[in-house]
Amino acid sequence: MSGGKIMLVGIGPGNYSHMTHRACEAIAEADVVVGYVTYIKLVADLLEGKEVIRKGMTEELDRAVHALERARAGKKVALISSGDAGVYGMAGPTYEVLFQAGWTPETDVEVEVIPGASAINACAALVGAPLTHDFCSISLSDLLTPWPVIARRLDAVAAADFVVALYNPKSGRRTQQIVQAQQLFLRHRRPDTPVVVVKSAYRRRQNIEFTTLDKMSECDIGMLSTVLIGNSHTFVRHGLMVTPRGYANKYALDGDGSAHAGEKRGRSLSTGLLGWTENLRIDHAEGESIAALAQRHSLPADYIEMVLNAPIEDAAVTADESEE
C-alpha cells in the first residue's frame, strides 16, 4: 500500500476562531487524528467519523510512533499540538522518530508542518503589546532539560534585558522552578518590572493577572499558564502591557515626529553600530583601555578588541534601512 501523510497541526490557543484555515482543512481531510487528550477535546467538533488516538501528557513519542504507523498504512494523519507544533510541540519529536525509523523526505510518507499561534502570541494579544521589541521564550520544565541549563538561560536573558515568556512554569510536582526563575531575574531586573500571568488564553477558564517581578511567584500559576516578564522599558497603562519599540530614541513623539538632533530618518541610530564604533575608536585613541571600554559597555574585551581592529572600510554606510 502506498504511504500516507503526517500533518503536524498547530491548533493555536484552542479556540476554533483562532485556528488557521489550513489547520481546519488538515483535520477535515485526515483519516486519523492523534493528540494529547486535552487537545483532542478542543477540536472535538471536527472529529466526527475519524479514528481518534488519545494519549497522555508524557506520551509524545508514542503519539509520533502511532502517527507514523498509520501513515505507513496509507492513512492521512493529523497529529495535533496546541499553539504551534514547532514551538514546544510535536514537530520535533515526530521528526526524531521519523529519522530513527530511516525516513527521508523522498520516502513514501509525506510530512507537512502547519503553523499555529503559540501561547506567547495568544497571551501577548490579550494583554497589549509586550513583544514589540526583542523577546525570547524559555520552558521551566526540567523533565527533559537539566536545571543548570535552564538556569543559565534564565540568567543570560535576564541580564540581556529581553522580554521573556516562561512556558511550563509550574505543575503539581514542579513548584520551585518559578521561584528560582524569579530569584535569577531579580539579580538583573528591578523588583517592579511588569509581569503578567495568563492562564488558559482564549479558553473557557481564561484568567489574566497583572503583577510585578517581586510578587510573581505568589500568583496562581500552573501548567496552563504562560508568564510574560517585561524588559527595563516595558510599562503597564490602563490595564495594557506595552514594550516600546524604540521610536522615542530617534523621534519626537509629542510633536511633529521629526528626528532628534544627530539622527536621520531611515538610518541607524547615532549610537548604532557605525556611530558606536566611531566613538569607541575615539575613546580608545584618547587613552581608554580595552578593559575599561569593555566594562563600560558590558561587552567582552575580545569583542571590543575585534571591533577596534576591524578595517574602517568595513563600516561603510550602505543603503537606507527599514525601521519596521
Side-chain angles (χ1 to χ4, degrees), residues 58-256:
T58 60
E59 298 178 307
E60 291 85 0
L61 295 180
D62 283 347
R63 291 179 231 167
V65 168
H66 275 84
L68 178 57
E69 288 176 349
R70 294 300 193 276
R72 281 185 163 167
K75 303 291 186 180
K76 284 189 175 182
V77 183
L79 179 48
I80 63 174
S81 292
S82 68
D84 184 280
V87 180
Y88 305 117
M90 284 302 303
T94 299
Y95 275 120
E96 290 184 63
V97 167
L98 287 167
F99 292 145
Q100 184 67 29
W103 173 90
T104 72
E106 291 73 36
T107 53
D108 58 350
V109 172
E110 182 183 353
V111 177
E112 178 185 0
V113 180
I114 298 164
S118 185
I120 191 172
N121 307 111
C123 295
L126 286 170
V127 304
L131 308 179
T132 315
H133 215 306
D134 297 336
F135 62 90
C136 72
S137 61
I138 295 178
S139 171
L140 296 191
S141 174
D142 54 6
L143 297 179
L144 300 173
T145 305
W147 179 253
V149 173
I150 299 172
R152 285 195 296 271
R153 291 171 179 171
L154 290 166
D155 188 64
V157 299
D161 204 29
F162 283 97
V163 175
V164 180
L166 299 179
Y167 281 66
N168 307 311
K170 189 176 180 179
S171 69
R173 295 181 179 178
R174 297 184 301 102
T175 61
Q176 291 305 300
Q177 285 80 353
I178 188 66
V179 175
Q180 294 204 19
Q182 177 189 39
Q183 293 169 348
L184 285 165
F185 267 80
L186 285 170
R187 295 180 63 247
H188 305 283
R189 308 275 179 100
R190 299 191 317 269
D192 63 349
T193 298
V195 172
V196 63
V197 179
V198 182
K199 184 176 182 179
S200 299
Y202 293 102
R203 300 180 189 174
R204 184 167 56 87
R205 296 182 179 179
Q206 174 182 296
N207 184 64
I208 300 172
E209 186 174 359
F210 285 86
T211 185
T212 53
L213 183 60
D214 59 340
K215 296 180 175 61
M216 177 178 78
S217 62
E218 301 170 16
C219 295
D220 179 18
I221 299 174
M223 278 297 290
L224 299 178
S225 303
T226 303
V227 180
L228 297 175
I229 304 173
N231 69 14
S232 60
H233 299 286
T234 303
F235 62 86
V236 174
R237 191 169 300 162
H238 304 302
L240 296 169
M241 185 182 195
V242 177
T243 302
R245 178 69 178 87
Y247 288 98
N249 293 330
K250 183 179 286 190
Y251 301 110
L253 301 183
D254 56 353
D256 60 1

Side-chain angles (χ1 to χ4, degrees), residues 278-322:
E278 182 180 353
N279 289 325
L280 194 72
R281 286 178 169 141
I282 291 171
D283 293 339
H284 186 54
E286 291 178 351
E288 193 166 357
S289 69
I290 289 176
L293 290 167
Q295 184 175 14
R296 177 151 65 90
H297 294 287
S298 299
L299 288 166
D302 57 349
Y303 172 70
I304 296 293
E305 185 175 13
M306 181 193 74
V307 172
L308 291 171
N309 292 333
I312 293 177
E313 58 267 26
D314 285 357
V317 176
T318 56
D320 288 357
E321 298 172 358
S322 168

